[in-house]
Amino acid sequence: MTASNYKNRKTQWSREAEKLDTLVRSISIPFQDGFVWLSKEEGMAKDRVFRRTKTPKFMFEYPIGSKKQSVTSPGQIMRMNIPKRVDFAANVITKPEKRELRDFGPIYYAEILRQVGSDVRVVGNKEIVLKCGTNAYRTDIKWVYQDYYQVSSVVVSSYKNDQCVYLVVHPSSLANHENFERIVESLTFE
């Protein structure tokens, strides 16, 4: 390689490195206007807080570094993930008829998981009180996704205005579970 060729390649590499740096900076800066899925009223995520202004109005907190994902099911109004493949989502559906709140997670939501996974086991279901004073249930479910991935889902559900609001987080069995429970347990109605 001649000195001239080396100089030209070095200049080209420098330009490519500069382009790469610009790209990395552009995606590492949080989106200033927030993330919207269906509409701003259905909910918007900004500054580590997801807020819904449509009835039932609620909010919850999520960790820094969370990325927007497409919604994947009816009633899902937002979905995000955190590095290490931890997904979480908020859902608003019509309150299931003749379904007590205590049965929502272990019966209704566990059945949803059976449609996409196997070995679904409810390992906990307890009444909790949200910071806003609203009664809710927390349901812990262990299951297997795609016959391989061990998942420990946590669902917090509450009935409000004839609707069911539920947040769910799906950390793998290898993730630090306690760090992600905070997402669903931060649910607050406004």
Side-chain angles (χ1 to χ4, degrees), residues 2 4 12-14 32 51 66 73 80 100 106 114 118 124 133-134 137 147-149 168 173 183 187:
T2 66
S4 175
Q12 182 181 0
W13 292 334
S14 179
Q32 298 301 314
R51 179 169 274 113
S66 299
S73 61
M80 296 179 92
E100 296 293 324
R114 284 185 187 91
S118 60
T134 302
Y137 265 81
D147 295 324
Y148 180 74
Y149 298 102
V168 61
S173 60
I183 298 169
L187 174 64

Side-chain angles (χ1 to χ4, degrees), residues 101-141:
L101 180 58
R102 71 175 172 267
D103 296 330
F104 179 82
I107 296 173
Y108 185 90
Y109 193 74
E111 183 56 36
I112 292 172
L113 293 179
R114 284 185 187 91
Q115 294 172 18
V116 296
S118 60
D119 195 23
V120 176
R121 295 172 290 128
V122 176
V123 296
N125 189 48
K126 65 180 180 180
E127 187 172 20
I128 61 173
V129 178
L130 304 175
K131 292 176 188 174
C132 61
T134 302
N135 290 339
Y137 265 81
R138 174 189 162 149
T139 308
D140 294 68
I141 304 172

